Amino acid sequence: MKKALSSIVLAVATASLPVLAQVPPLPQKAGYKVGFSQTENNNPWRIAETKSMQDAAAGCNWTLVYADANGSSAKQVADVENMIAQKVDLIVLAPREEKPLVPAVMKARRAGIPVILIDRNIDQKVAQAGRDYVTFIGSDFVDQGRRAGEWLVQATGGKGTIVELEGTTGSSPANDRKKGFDGAVAKAPGLRIVASQSADFSRDKGRQVMQTLLQAHPDVSAVYAHNDEMAVGAITALEAAGKKPGSDVTVVSVDGTADALKAIVAGKLGATVQSSPFFGPIACETARRYTKGDAIPAWVKVEDKFYDKSNAQAMMANGY
Ligand code: GYE
């Protein structure tokens, strides 16, 4: 009886709550002022992403308000706040880290500005597509990690020691590429991850971290880098230490940059899982459908290719 009463009380209380705010609509009009908040623009992946957004904007009747956070989540929060103050119609956000950007997304929603997330996600424990932002357009990072891991298990015959170079701490691709990879290699008892450290998705940090880790683990036989830039940096460090990447050490990574495809052809990089940076046309199309009131899925999934020595030369034009 007591229980029944408390659930009635709860039901009444819930019914009297104000309706939860939804993502603001985007009215149909001839042109839009669209904020594009980029995390940084100093590597091939980011440059390709920015260009894709700029190219698509022209054909989408978007006037872009562009901001580069220079690798700082604090600056990115300020950039989004600035776009809100400028009363843009829509914000396309490539969030650097999962947690720090959540309040900025909520603030945009309260200001009546819809947000489309591209490339990286925000904390799914607190933010929800369809309520706080329109959708997340991006790759399945857990699956990318799994594909890299399964390839490495095959290529090494399931034996050896691995150094893992992680992406930006707190970013969704770093968290998820680690999860997918670690899960796949855990199935090969003869393969062990001996060190796992962040090199911030950067080529030069990849080189430095690899150089340091090689001192503690001189006999490492494999490297998994969460992106191609760090893999290229690691290859430089391996060569500087007198090792032959591709034969002494098997290297695998994620992205599909032009430099990675060339490194595969040169026999130094074993494989890379593509992570497409070409979001412009998909973001434009998704926003167009949103203005028409179409139902948008919570996740607009980008499908990625896989490159190894069997196809890298033929796929060279896909590099960026
Ligand atoms: O893999 C990396 C970049 O967020 C998916 O960020 C993106 C990642 C990409 O810096 O190269």
Side-chain angles (χ1 to χ4, degrees):
M1 179 58 195
K2 228 179 167 183
K3 197 172 173 206
L5 186 67
S6 65
S7 56
I8 292 169
V9 171
L10 184 70
V12 171
T14 314
S16 61
L17 278 177
V19 177
L20 271 184
Q22 296 292 311
V23 187
L26 185 60
Q28 280 181 308
K29 49 184 191 173
Y32 298 88
K33 193 156 111 183
V34 177
F36 172 44
S37 168
Q38 177 58 290
T39 66
E40 62 204 349
N41 206 44
N42 56 1
N43 61 62
W45 197 96
R46 293 284 146 192
I47 292 165
E49 181 183 40
T50 301
K51 183 167 186 312
S52 173
M53 285 295 296
Q54 286 164 342
D55 290 352
C60 205
N61 294 324
W62 286 2
T63 306
L64 273 196
V65 176
Y66 174 73
D68 174 355
N70 292 320
S72 154
S73 294
K75 163 129 184 358
Q76 190 166 36
V77 169
D79 289 345
V80 172
E81 285 172 348
N82 212 343
M83 289 168 183
I84 297 170
Q86 290 185 55
K87 296 193 175 13
V88 295
D89 298 301
L90 167 73
I91 294 173
V92 180
L93 169 63
R96 178 173 159 80
E97 288 171 72
E98 287 189 296
K99 292 185 197 300
L101 270 302
V102 170
V105 171
M106 303 299 188
K107 197 168 180 182
R109 186 190 75 182
R110 285 196 301 274
I113 302 171
V115 173
I116 292 178
L117 300 178
I118 61 166
D119 124 38
R120 292 183 188 172
N121 215 332
I122 56 173
D123 189 356
Q124 293 297 289
K125 285 186 208 83
V126 285
Q128 246 177 53
R131 186 190 69 191
D132 304 312
Y133 58 92
V134 179
T135 184
F136 165 60
I137 306 174
S139 296
D140 185 336
F141 300 131
V142 177
D143 200 56
Q144 291 176 341
R146 179 193 62 80
R147 293 167 83 188
E150 286 177 358
W151 180 88
L152 192 66
V153 170
Q154 276 275 318
T156 58
K159 281 193 272 299
T161 51
I162 308 167
V163 158
E164 179 168 354
L165 298 177
E166 300 171 14
T168 298
T169 305
S171 72
S172 66
N175 291 339
D176 293 351
R177 285 174 187 165
K178 180 170 182 60
K179 193 169 158 192
F181 179 85
D182 292 8
V185 300
K187 294 190 180 134
L191 253 183
R192 224 160 32 91
I193 300 167
V194 291
S196 187
Q197 199 174 309
S198 175
D200 205 16
F201 282 131
S202 132
R203 183 184 291 217
D204 201 49
K205 286 186 197 149
R207 184 188 58 76
Q208 289 170 34
V209 172
M210 192 66 220
Q211 189 182 28
T212 308
L213 291 177
L214 269 175
Q215 283 157 22
H217 307 282
D219 298 324
V220 70
S221 54
V223 173
Y224 165 49
H226 289 187
N227 80 345
D228 289 341
E229 283 291 279
M230 294 189 294
V232 171
I235 287 170
T236 307
L238 287 166
E239 288 178 328
K243 299 200 175 285
K244 271 196 147 187
S247 43
D248 300 339
V249 183
T250 307
V251 186
V252 63
S253 61
V254 185
D255 268 358
T257 63
D259 283 352
L261 293 173
K262 283 184 209 147
I264 293 175
V265 172
K268 297 180 180 185
L269 180 64
T272 186
V273 187
Q274 185 196 32
S275 191
S276 172
F278 303 116
F279 293 103
I282 318 172
C284 166
E285 176 59 16
T286 304
R288 202 185 54 77
R289 286 176 45 209
Y290 189 61
T291 61
K292 291 197 308 175
D294 288 3
I296 309 292
W299 180 4
V300 178
K301 215 186 248 194
V302 174
E303 300 297 333
D304 297 308
K305 296 187 169 41
F306 189 91
Y307 305 116
D308 62 10
K309 65 173 186 306
S310 71
N311 64 353
Q313 183 66 61
M315 296 286 186
M316 201 56 85
N318 283 358
Y320 46 86

